[in-house]
Amino acid sequence: MAPAHKYMATTNKWSDKIFDFKNKLEEQELSEKTKNTYLRILIETLHTVQKPIEDITLDEFKEMVKEKNPHTKVQIINMMNKYKTIYDIPHDDWVNYRRNELDKETQKHTKRSNEYLQNLPTREQLMQYTNGLRENKDLQGYLINWIMINFYTRNMDLDLHFIRNKKELTNDKNYLYIKRDGTVDFIRNIYKTKFSHGTKTFTINDATFIKSLKDYARDNKTLLDQELNETKKSKFIKDKTKDKLGEVMYLKAQIADLKDPSEINVIAEKRGTSTSLLLSDYNINQKKRTQKELVSSDDTSSETSED
């Protein structure tokens, strides 16, 4: 889920509707994960449209989700239909749209994705591409890819500010802190699961990365253009990745390429998620490996679907 502060104004404005919907969901025979997902999508939708759910027309919905992938569209329309069912709002046209258009779109998308997943690059190939960016003087692209590969980050984690003085640190930004001892601290205060996994700080010792960062930081204060909105930043990051794979495919590729199954725990720790979620949503080899083989320690943390 996105950081709470992003939706603070929305939750305050629509608090009565949000809490009433939450209470209504508690009366439904749904899993906790599904309830949380519905509530998250309700808040995100209200934030986007700034009008009551019951006032959103089907045409407005289609416009709102036209750039999203079919699975995300289905998640949103499922919430809309559940909302309308709970409050006895007629929505036959929404149900028909889901059955006649979205389901077919989803099936085609799933087929393409399954074929695509069988040809994902290895971690070594991702690093070869990344090192090639540096050789071609694209330091920004190199830094983006290096962090994404080594820390399994989401796009928003890469909205990084460069600092050299510890006094500049605040708890509302992400940083690459260039330290006097020659190392760099990668500090994440703002990321999707901050409220369940806390601030994450990792020390980077890689000499090539550090030199590249220092070179790039001479003329730049941030890794990404702060004039871009979140959507444009995400697109910019995706365009910098190998074959425009993007962060989700980078994560799936690396999980598929694991030589040591227990490394799934390292990925979960660095990304800030649960091993169970990685296994259920990102492990394309899950039929070949059981959760018992991949998880070496008991994992009871939970997270709703990330992407």
Side-chain angles (χ1 to χ4, degrees), residues 4-89:
H5 73 270
K6 176 179 178 180
Y7 298 114
M8 189 65 71
T10 298
T11 54
N12 289 337
K13 180 177 180 179
W14 306 101
S15 58
D16 290 345
K17 285 186 176 292
I18 292 169
F19 284 111
D20 189 65
F21 184 57
K22 181 182 180 185
N23 291 333
K24 296 286 188 184
L25 287 175
E26 292 302 324
E27 301 171 3
Q28 305 291 309
E29 293 185 1
L30 301 168
S31 69
E32 287 304 310
K33 180 175 180 179
T34 299
K35 292 176 186 176
N36 289 334
T37 299
Y38 280 153
L39 193 62
R40 169 178 62 82
I41 294 173
L42 173 73
I43 294 171
E44 291 173 353
T45 303
L46 288 170
H47 180 77
T48 299
V49 301
Q50 290 297 311
K51 64 192 295 187
I53 295 297
E54 48 266 47
D55 291 346
I56 301 173
T57 67
L58 185 54
D59 285 339
E60 287 174 330
F61 169 82
K62 292 177 182 179
E63 179 65 23
M64 181 180 77
V65 302
K66 67 180 182 180
E67 299 298 330
K68 298 184 181 296
N69 71 58
H71 295 292
T72 301
K73 292 179 184 178
V74 168
Q75 275 195 324
I76 298 173
I77 201 169
N78 281 348
M79 182 281 295
M80 302 285 281
N81 285 342
K82 176 57 70 175
Y83 185 97
K84 292 172 184 292
T85 298
I86 287 175
Y87 292 104
D88 293 322
I89 302 170

Side-chain angles (χ1 to χ4, degrees), residues 45-198:
T45 303
L46 288 170
H47 180 77
T48 299
V49 301
Q50 290 297 311
K51 64 192 295 187
I53 295 297
E54 48 266 47
D55 291 346
I56 301 173
T57 67
L58 185 54
D59 285 339
E60 287 174 330
F61 169 82
K62 292 177 182 179
E63 179 65 23
M64 181 180 77
V65 302
K66 67 180 182 180
E67 299 298 330
K68 298 184 181 296
N69 71 58
H71 295 292
T72 301
K73 292 179 184 178
V74 168
Q75 275 195 324
I76 298 173
I77 201 169
N78 281 348
M79 182 281 295
M80 302 285 281
N81 285 342
K82 176 57 70 175
Y83 185 97
K84 292 172 184 292
T85 298
I86 287 175
Y87 292 104
D88 293 322
I89 302 170
H91 59 289
D92 287 348
D93 52 341
W94 290 75
V95 173
N96 290 333
Y97 170 70
R98 155 89 201 248
R99 287 175 180 168
N100 298 330
E101 294 186 48
L102 271 190
D103 283 358
K104 291 179 181 178
E105 187 179 344
T106 301
Q107 289 170 5
K108 291 179 181 177
H109 179 79
T110 300
K111 183 179 179 180
R112 289 196 304 269
S113 295
N114 288 337
E115 294 170 350
Y116 193 55
L117 288 173
Q118 302 310 311
N119 297 298
L120 287 175
T122 63
R123 178 186 175 87
E124 181 180 1
Q125 289 171 328
L126 291 177
M127 283 307 303
Q128 287 174 348
Y129 168 79
T130 299
N131 291 330
L133 292 173
R134 183 177 183 277
E135 292 170 4
N136 291 324
K137 311 301 182 184
D138 182 0
L139 294 182
Q140 184 185 35
Y142 168 81
L143 295 171
I144 286 172
N145 279 268
W146 195 96
I147 295 170
M148 190 179 290
I149 293 168
N150 285 279
F151 293 100
Y152 314 98
T153 56
R154 306 172 183 87
N155 288 333
M156 65 182 296
D157 305 13
L158 296 167
D159 200 356
L160 292 160
H161 296 254
F162 308 144
I163 61 169
R164 294 176 181 270
N165 189 331
K166 192 174 183 178
K167 293 181 180 179
E168 297 179 55
L169 288 172
T170 64
N171 61 8
D172 62 349
K173 293 177 182 176
N174 297 332
Y175 295 97
L176 286 175
Y177 170 28
I178 304 170
K179 300 163 70 176
R180 292 180 181 179
D181 65 3
T183 64
V184 171
D185 278 354
F186 173 33
I187 303 169
R188 275 181 291 164
N189 290 303
I190 304 301
Y191 67 103
K192 195 170 189 178
T193 53
K194 160 70 182 293
F195 293 98
S196 54
H197 293 273

Side-chain angles (χ1 to χ4, degrees), residues 195-222:
F195 293 98
S196 54
H197 293 273
T199 294
K200 288 199 166 289
T201 301
F202 297 95
T203 298
I204 300 173
N205 297 288
D206 186 277
T208 303
F209 175 87
I210 294 171
K211 183 180 186 309
S212 299
L213 172 61
K214 289 179 177 179
D215 289 345
Y216 186 72
R218 287 196 188 100
D219 300 313
N220 300 277
K221 295 182 179 180
T222 60

